[in-house]
Amino acid sequence: MRLSRLALLLSGCALTALASPALAQEAPDAGPPPAAPAIVIQNPAAAPAAPVVVAIPAEWSPVPADELGRTAYGLYLSGRLAVFRGDNVMGADLLAQSQALTPEQPVVGEEAFRSGLFAGDLETLAELASSVQDTPLLAEAARLVVIVDDLNNGDAATGLSMLRQQPFAEPFETIGRYIMPSIAAAAGDWDLALAPVTAPSTDIDALVLRHQRVRLLEARRRNAEAEAEYRALTASPLGSQLFSADFGRFLERRGRRDEALAIYEASLTGPSPDPEALVGRTRVLARAAAPSLPTVRENAAFAIKLAAIQSAERRERDVAAIFLRLADSLGPDDEVSLRLGLSLVSLGHETSAREAFSRVTTANPILYAGAQFGLGLSFQRDDLDDEALAAYRLADAAAPGQMEVILRLSQQLIGMDRHEEALAVLNRPQVNVAGQPADFRFLRGATLETLGRLDEAEAELWAALAAAPDNPTILNTLGYMWVDTGRRVEQGAEMLARAHAAEPENGNIQDSLGWAQFRQGQYDIAVETLEGAVNKEPANAEINDHLGDAYWQVGRTREAQWQWNRVLTLDPDAERRAEVEQKLAKGLSIAPPVAAGQF
């Protein structure tokens, strides 16, 4: 694959001895990357300074440490740990501090630069650029960082010189072309910035470059040309999807609100409604002030964002995250922050992703809801239930009626044993309708069962099963309820057998099947089934309890008592704890098994 070397460079690491030779370690490595031509920067004035080669001493004495007494090796390990935990911002900072103490360590400089690419601190990355010049792909990334940092610092002329002297290699070639017009405009080279785009308008690269040009035409007050370019841009389906909202904002600035409103409403009626069109429509109807003309930096950020989207669609997740960090560095943008959070999540960088999600403002309700939803999922993955619930509530309030948000909110409430609240959400008029997805009927049925409203639960679960007759989760829930309550033991057992056949490795479903066998008096078979369930879910209190009951019924009383004692170590709920303590004191007394055909 084209980016395999880049992925290796961005993910690899090697622990280097920073305190003494005895501390030298090396992480397992897939081997050196294939040889590649060295990057030669043809404009010495624009290139990062060549690194000063300093010999690596055999032993440091004294050990390199900062003013707080923190050693370079300790900073390095702390940085690596922070990155491992998904906090690239802290990790990159610690690694950069370690590199500053040991500039003669090339591996540390490269590691700090890699982490910094995902953290987005352009100034630090620019300072580290010289340390990665011997690694071609990282050298290309460093050059891109320097150009964007120059734009941020008002020195676009240097960046333009670098772009002109040497085109970027893949995977940075596209982004180099996309930002050229904005860099040229910032440097005052308007001939280059406004050069006509000759490629066909069906080509995505041509669409992006024409969009850069149209914004710059407006900046030069060449509004008639800009409008003609906008109409050409939005004539194609892809161009309309990408740039209609921007055309609407242009028309607002021209005082043509009605035309802008028509464009916004058209963008909201298609298969992929544009969140920006919703904001524009709201603004026009409220007769609020037109949005300001985008700055050159905002133009560049928009182009970088589009390059990131293309990379994400090609599943180049590392590259997409790096590009989004660059776009993010050029100024606040809610869509960039949301996409950055999603990209960082895909890479497992949870802490950094949450920081990105948290920066999305309420200006666009759809983007805000998406960010809060992403936060909720992230918190849920780390078992931070209260934080996840709060995020889901904010997403639900920002974009009411979004079924995926409602589903997750309900699941979170159920997982926190807040069943009445979950039921209230699931019973909302827009949710509890004919033809609703099976997931909602299932959750409602499971919640009603927990609340003891069995007749209503049975009706909802049966409706869910009718909509998804082979769903093992629904089969298991309804089948177990029938078996456990004695309502329809034989039918429930048949459902559980189907569920187990569909998911034989699911210990919870196997437990349900074993319990059905137990309830039918098939104790020997139940023991075998429940032993298998315990092997799959050894820390499940209910499954261990069921196995203890099965052991008791076949006369294996000491093993039964052992299982029940184990249940008490697995944090059972109060009701199960009381039942198990009763069994340990007096043994098991159960009703006769349900005969075949008995309902």
Side-chain angles (χ1 to χ4, degrees):
M1 180 177 168
R2 187 176 75 229
L3 296 178
S4 59
R5 290 178 57 243
L6 178 64
L8 178 64
L9 287 168
L10 291 174
S11 61
C13 71
L15 294 178
T16 305
L18 298 179
S20 71
L23 292 176
Q25 304 177 57
E26 192 165 12
D29 201 321
I39 297 296
V40 179
I41 300 177
Q42 298 174 5
N43 180 4
V52 177
V53 178
V54 180
I56 302 176
E59 182 173 355
W60 274 274
S61 182
V63 173
D66 64 11
E67 66 278 4
L68 299 177
R70 299 177 300 178
T71 67
Y73 191 61
L75 288 166
Y76 179 81
L77 292 180
S78 298
R80 287 299 304 158
L81 181 60
V83 171
F84 176 76
R85 290 176 173 173
D87 189 350
N88 278 286
V89 174
M90 177 176 288
D93 179 59
L94 291 168
L95 289 167
Q97 292 183 56
S98 175
Q99 192 274 341
L101 292 172
T102 56
E104 63 274 20
Q105 283 284 355
V107 173
V108 180
E110 289 187 7
E111 194 67 24
F113 187 83
R114 289 189 196 99
S115 299
L117 284 172
F118 298 107
D121 184 352
L122 259 64
E123 290 188 6
T124 299
L125 284 171
E127 292 173 2
L128 291 168
S130 62
S131 67
V132 297
Q133 292 305 299
D134 292 333
T135 306
L137 285 172
L138 289 184
E140 286 284 82
R143 195 157 61 94
L144 179 60
V145 164
V146 170
I147 290 170
V148 175
D149 190 49
D150 286 341
L151 177 61
N152 258 329
N153 294 328
D155 186 17
T158 299
L160 180 60
S161 178
M162 294 176 71
L163 279 171
R164 278 176 152 167
Q165 286 293 323
Q166 179 182 334
F168 279 100
E170 287 290 0
F172 305 113
E173 189 270 339
T174 298
I175 197 172
R177 284 188 291 110
Y178 283 5
I179 64 174
M180 175 73 86
S182 290
I183 300 293
D189 188 341
W190 285 99
D191 289 337
L192 178 59
L194 296 177
V197 180
T198 57
S201 59
T202 54
D203 181 85
I204 179 61
D205 288 1
L207 287 173
V208 174
L209 291 172
R210 292 186 76 167
H211 179 257
Q212 286 286 293
R213 183 171 184 269
V214 74
R215 282 187 163 186
L216 295 173
L217 283 169
E218 185 184 4
R220 300 298 280 178
R221 299 183 181 180
R222 293 163 61 174
N223 294 322
E225 293 174 77
E227 181 173 345
E229 192 74 83
Y230 265 125
R231 294 197 182 279
L233 261 178
T234 57
S236 70
L238 181 57
S240 177
Q241 180 182 345
L242 290 173
F243 306 121
S244 283
D246 209 42
F247 186 21
R249 289 189 286 267
F250 168 83
L251 291 171
E252 283 190 76
R253 286 190 288 272
R254 307 277 73 73
R256 295 154 63 180
R257 292 176 179 271
D258 291 343
E259 294 174 71
L261 180 61
I263 288 176
Y264 294 143
E265 290 183 339
S267 296
L268 291 171
T269 57
S272 302
D274 185 351
E276 289 300 318
L278 177 62
V279 174
R281 180 180 183 275
T282 302
R283 183 175 55 244
V284 170
L285 292 175
R287 303 198 66 81
S292 59
L293 177 69
T295 66
V296 171
R297 286 171 58 184
E298 288 170 335
N299 287 346
F302 194 94
I304 295 171
K305 177 183 70 176
L306 292 179
I309 293 172
Q310 288 179 264
S311 295
E313 289 177 347
R314 293 192 298 264
R315 299 185 182 278
E316 299 162 357
R317 297 180 300 173
D318 290 344
V319 178
I322 292 168
F323 288 177
L324 288 166
R325 276 297 190 194
L326 291 173
D328 187 57
S329 73
L330 290 169
D333 182 295
D334 285 339
E335 185 185 352
V336 169
S337 295
L338 174 58
R339 288 185 178 276
L340 176 60
L342 294 172
S343 186
L344 291 169
V345 161
S346 74
L347 296 170
H349 302 165
E350 294 283 359
T351 303
S352 298
R354 289 174 198 163
E355 186 274 333
F357 287 138
S358 297
R359 287 191 281 111
V360 177
T361 72
T362 58
N364 186 315
I366 300 300
L367 295 179
Y368 179 72
Q372 291 301 317
F373 187 69
L375 270 175
L377 292 174
S378 179
F379 287 135
Q380 195 173 6
R381 283 189 289 271
D382 282 346
D383 297 321
L384 297 169
D385 288 334
D386 291 334
E387 292 86 345
L389 178 59
Y392 288 142
R393 287 195 189 282
L394 288 172
D396 182 48
Q402 294 294 313
M403 301 302 279
E404 182 65 22
V405 175
I406 292 171
L407 184 67
R408 287 286 183 174
L409 173 59
S410 304
Q411 291 172 330
Q412 186 64 30
L413 288 165
I414 291 168
M416 297 172 70
D417 295 327
R418 298 168 72 159
H419 301 288
E420 293 284 3
E421 293 177 67
L423 190 60
V425 172
L426 292 165
N427 282 338
R428 290 177 183 174
Q430 74 269 33
V431 177
N432 194 4
V433 296
Q436 64 191 276
D439 287 344
F440 289 94
R441 288 204 177 275
F442 166 73
L443 285 179
R444 192 180 298 109
T447 303
L448 288 165
E449 180 193 9
T450 301
L451 295 171
R453 296 161 60 175
L454 299 185
D455 291 339
E456 296 170 83
E458 185 177 58
E460 288 293 337
L461 292 170
W462 185 254
L465 189 63
D470 297 318
N471 185 293
T473 301
I474 301 173
L475 285 167
N476 179 62
T477 303
L478 180 57
Y480 185 80
M481 188 186 85
W482 277 352
V483 166
D484 196 48
T485 61
R487 288 184 165 219
R488 300 173 181 241
V489 174
E490 186 176 327
Q491 284 180 290
E494 186 273 334
M495 286 183 177
L496 294 170
R498 286 169 56 197
H500 179 58
E503 291 191 7
E505 297 306 312
N506 188 314
N508 289 293
I509 292 177
Q510 186 165 339
D511 168 64
S512 298
L513 178 62
W515 191 240
Q517 294 162 347
F518 180 94
R519 294 283 284 118
Q520 292 176 300
Q522 302 168 8
Y523 301 121
D524 290 327
I525 298 175
V527 165
E528 182 178 343
T529 302
L530 291 168
E531 285 178 336
V534 166
N535 285 336
K536 292 168 184 170
E537 297 286 342
N540 187 297
E542 182 176 14
I543 299 176
N544 280 275
D545 189 16
H546 286 168
L547 179 57
D549 291 0
Y551 280 152
W552 182 274
Q553 289 301 110
V554 297
R556 296 164 64 175
T557 55
R558 292 185 66 182
E559 289 168 279
Q561 291 171 335
W562 190 93
Q563 286 297 141
W564 292 332
N565 274 304
R566 174 162 172 72
V567 170
L568 298 180
T569 70
L570 297 175
D571 194 26
D573 59 43
E575 182 180 359
R576 187 171 301 278
R577 178 177 291 278
E579 290 175 355
V580 168
E581 288 173 347
Q582 179 76 6
K583 286 187 281 192
L584 284 168
K586 298 183 178 180
L588 178 64
S589 175
I590 64 169
V594 179
Q598 181 179 340
F599 302 117

